[in-house]
Amino acid sequence: MKIRTKMMLWYTLLTTVLLFIFIPILYNAISDSLYSEAESSLESIVSQAEIGIEYENNAVSWDENIDISEETPTVIYNMNENKIYENGVWDLSNNLEFQAGTLRRSILNGEKWIVLDENIQKEGITVAQIRVYYSLDSVNKTLGRIKLIIVFAVPFYFIITVLGGLLIAKTALDPISKVTKTAKSIGRVDLSSRINGNKSRDEVGELIDTFNEMLERLEESFNKEKRFTSDASHELRTPVSIIMAYTETLLKEIETERSADETRKSIEVIDKESKRMNTIISQLLTLTRGYEGRYKFVKETFDLSEVIENVMDELTEIAESAHIELAYKNNGAVLIDADQSLVTQLMLNFIENAIKYGKEFGHVWVSNVQREDETIIIIEDDGIGIEEEQQKHIFERFFRADQARDRRGTGLGLSIAKWIVEEHGGKIEVSSVLGEGTTFEIRFPRNI
Ligand code: ADP
């Protein structure tokens, strides 16, 4: 059953139940008040009659100046059963026995009446008997009219409730159907559709916004993945093409006379390109394992300062051949609790980059700072620098700045670095001036 039908049914059921509870309550209240009005008007006639009866020297008479409304027929007898006042057509002679102090409903001449009998007392003795009649005709007519209204109004009300319920449910749920339609129309590949229309700040508006935001994120990550796959294929295709070209030439020329020197050169190229492919593939593996949360961290406490020194030792030769001076300002042991092999890889990436993107006879300065709540490693160089516009992209997979294209790289090093630092709860800050140099600051929260 659709929600709109359910909503309508519940709504109708609820209002109908309420109707069946309140209609009898209301009807009884109206009828009670009409009856008590009739009774109190009878009592007021009795009080009026008490004033009209004169009692003097044991004789009872009626003050002719006082008259009682014809609408309430009244008869008064003295104690000798002589009629001293009569108004209207009714009297004690009808077969209703006189019962002082009683209020009765009775059918007289085919009509409904309320009859009130009372003794009238003067100076402490009963001097007369009064009977007053009140016709229930108008009360019954009013109550009948109300019943008629109820009988006609209830089905009408019922129809309006059902239609109104359906309309409310439709108005409330139509935007949701729209969301469903759009969601269905979004293909597996094209995530660019958005739901538009409802700009209101209600629950549906919120749902649409959330849905659109989700689509935005999906589209973004889908595009990123697309770019990643095409970049990865592109990066791998270049070394593969070179290897293929060289092996083909080698095979063709294997018969011909060829110097050992030339053959070695070709094999060296093949070796270099295979290594490059190997690097790309293993970096890709690290990244995908990291993103999929499949990387097994081995955390231990070690001195980061020592790791930096080892990495710098390892890179001395490369730095020397590029005529770059490496300097480490060691401010003492820096104990951290982290995955040592990943952190070693991290420092290697940054310091290697600083050398790779350095200028001849340049410098790389590494230092550490211990703060109360964080450990900062600073890697500064006076190399080629990064254009401001490109700085925000350097952590993206396969991104390489224009001015770095002539130097060998995969564009994956900083993505891996970012992942490693973030996995350890830290962050990386970069500041750079094109042509002057770059500074990276790696901040780890202190957990030791
Ligand atoms: P690559 O393998 O190309 O070095 P990275 O992810 O390590 O890939 O770096 C991404 C890009 O960031 C580099 O191609 C380069 O343009 C820029 N970059 C990184 N480190 C430096 C640096 N120290 N000086 C100048 N540019 C840098």
Side-chain angles (χ1 to χ4, degrees):
M1 199 188 281
K2 282 192 164 187
I3 289 188
R4 69 180 61 187
T5 322
K6 277 192 209 162
M7 262 172 86
M8 184 273 288
L9 285 180
W10 276 110
Y11 174 70
T12 312
L13 186 75
L14 186 74
T15 47
T16 312
V17 168
L18 287 179
L19 201 68
F20 278 97
I21 292 174
F22 285 115
I23 283 183
I25 293 177
L26 202 68
Y27 181 82
N28 285 339
I30 294 173
S31 127
D32 283 355
S33 101
L34 287 174
Y35 280 116
S36 69
E37 204 177 296
E39 285 160 17
S40 63
S41 69
L42 285 177
E43 276 153 14
S44 80
I45 301 282
V46 171
S47 319
Q48 216 179 329
E50 270 171 350
I51 301 165
I53 289 173
E54 290 169 339
Y55 180 63
E56 247 172 284
N57 305 329
N58 288 339
V60 182
S61 61
W62 180 256
D63 180 353
E64 292 302 328
N65 294 326
I66 293 185
D67 211 8
I68 291 172
S69 157
E70 296 254 322
E71 280 177 17
T72 47
T74 308
V75 272
I76 305 172
Y77 285 83
N78 66 14
M79 297 317 283
N80 301 327
E81 296 195 1
N82 292 325
K83 204 184 281 179
I84 57 165
Y85 177 78
E86 181 184 42
N87 148 16
V89 287
W90 305 97
D91 68 15
L92 285 173
S93 61
N94 68 48
N95 48 16
L96 206 62
E97 197 195 326
F98 185 85
Q99 280 178 357
T102 59
L103 192 75
R104 278 170 286 183
R105 285 186 201 171
S106 169
I107 296 174
L108 306 168
N109 281 3
E111 250 188 78
K112 282 187 183 160
W113 296 83
I114 307 183
V115 184
L116 175 65
D117 290 344
E118 272 304 353
N119 285 332
I120 305 268
Q121 293 189 327
K122 294 274 173 177
E123 297 166 11
I125 47 168
T126 304
V127 295
Q129 290 180 323
I130 180 170
R131 168 167 284 183
V132 193
Y133 301 86
Y134 187 97
S135 168
L136 283 176
D137 196 34
S138 68
V139 171
N140 286 338
K141 266 189 193 145
T142 310
L143 289 178
R145 259 203 306 276
I146 291 174
K147 271 188 200 156
L148 203 72
I149 290 172
I150 291 173
V151 168
F152 280 105
V154 166
F156 189 63
Y157 170 88
F158 200 75
I159 293 169
I160 289 188
T161 310
V162 171
L163 292 181
L166 271 178
L167 191 76
I168 292 172
K170 187 175 147 46
T171 323
L173 296 171
D174 260 3
I176 295 186
S177 309
K178 230 181 182 182
V179 176
T180 316
K181 240 188 230 158
T182 319
K184 276 186 187 154
S185 76
I186 293 171
R188 221 157 41 86
V189 182
D190 176 30
L191 291 169
S192 62
S193 307
R194 296 287 179 273
I195 302 160
N196 39 36
N198 195 315
K199 289 275 174 285
S200 59
R201 295 272 34 92
D202 56 12
E203 288 83 346
V204 178
E206 220 172 282
L207 173 77
I208 292 176
D209 282 352
T210 315
F211 195 82
N212 280 342
E213 278 161 25
M214 189 191 77
L215 280 176
E216 187 89 41
R217 284 197 302 273
L218 274 179
E219 189 187 13
E220 204 181 289
S221 74
F222 183 75
N223 286 342
K224 251 192 197 166
E225 286 316 304
K226 260 199 321 205
R227 217 178 321 130
F228 177 62
T229 322
S230 83
D231 286 349
S233 340
H234 183 77
E235 286 296 323
L236 288 170
R237 207 169 57 194
T238 319
V240 169
S241 318
I242 298 174
I243 291 171
M244 277 162 58
Y246 273 86
T247 38
E248 218 170 281
T249 323
L250 272 179
L251 280 172
K252 258 189 214 159
E253 294 178 359
I254 208 146
E255 305 299 326
T256 61
E257 263 178 44
R258 200 176 153 90
S259 73
D261 209 30
E262 271 177 90
T263 312
R264 206 188 61 243
K265 265 191 199 148
S266 291
I267 294 176
E268 267 170 13
V269 173
I270 293 174
D271 182 51
K272 200 170 102 197
E273 292 305 319
S274 316
K275 280 185 181 139
R276 180 174 160 75
M277 264 168 67
N278 190 40
T279 313
I280 295 177
I281 290 169
S282 63
Q283 282 181 330
L284 278 178
L285 269 178
T286 312
L287 265 184
T288 41
R289 272 201 202 121
Y291 283 128
E292 285 170 9
R294 284 195 288 126
Y295 194 90
K296 299 242 176 318
F297 292 90
V298 187
K299 286 209 175 170
E300 57 191 314
T301 305
F302 60 91
D303 182 5
L304 177 57
S305 190
E306 236 172 66
V307 169
I308 297 174
E309 264 172 8
N310 290 342
V311 168
M312 293 190 77
D313 280 348
E314 214 177 296
L315 294 173
T316 316
E317 223 177 281
I318 302 175
E320 270 171 9
S321 61
H323 305 287
I324 287 174
E325 197 182 305
L326 291 185
Y328 179 34
K329 189 163 177 253
N330 191 344
N331 291 318
V334 182
L335 289 185
I336 64 165
D337 186 36
D339 185 310
Q340 192 169 351
S341 76
L342 284 184
V343 172
T344 310
Q345 161 91 53
L346 176 77
M347 298 321 305
L348 201 72
N349 280 355
F350 277 109
I351 303 170
E352 223 176 10
N353 274 354
I355 300 169
K356 191 160 58 176
Y357 302 112
K359 289 183 200 152
E360 213 179 2
F361 306 112
H363 302 82
V364 175
W365 300 277
V366 183
S367 58
N368 63 38
V369 181
Q370 280 277 52
R371 293 246 174 91
E372 201 178 310
D373 56 339
E374 59 183 358
T375 298
I376 311 170
I377 308 296
I378 304 160
I379 301 114
E380 196 183 344
D381 65 61
D382 52 2
I384 61 170
I386 311 162
E387 210 175 280
E388 196 170 342
E389 188 35 47
Q390 307 208 319
Q391 284 174 24
K392 55 177 179 281
H393 299 295
I394 57 174
F395 296 101
E396 289 169 13
R397 293 172 296 191
F398 291 114
F399 179 83
R400 310 198 63 217
D402 298 335
Q403 65 275 10
R405 302 232 171 243
D406 56 336
R407 313 189 184 205
R408 302 226 66 175
T410 59
L412 290 170
L414 286 185
S415 317
I416 296 177
K418 184 168 181 269
W419 166 67
I420 296 174
V421 173
E422 282 174 359
E423 282 299 325
H424 288 86
K427 58 180 185 206
I428 307 171
E429 279 162 20
V430 57
S431 56
S432 183
V433 178
L434 191 64
E436 285 183 20
T438 307
T439 306
F440 283 100
E441 281 189 15
I442 309 164
R443 292 163 182 268
F444 287 114
R446 276 193 76 166
N447 48 13
I448 306 252

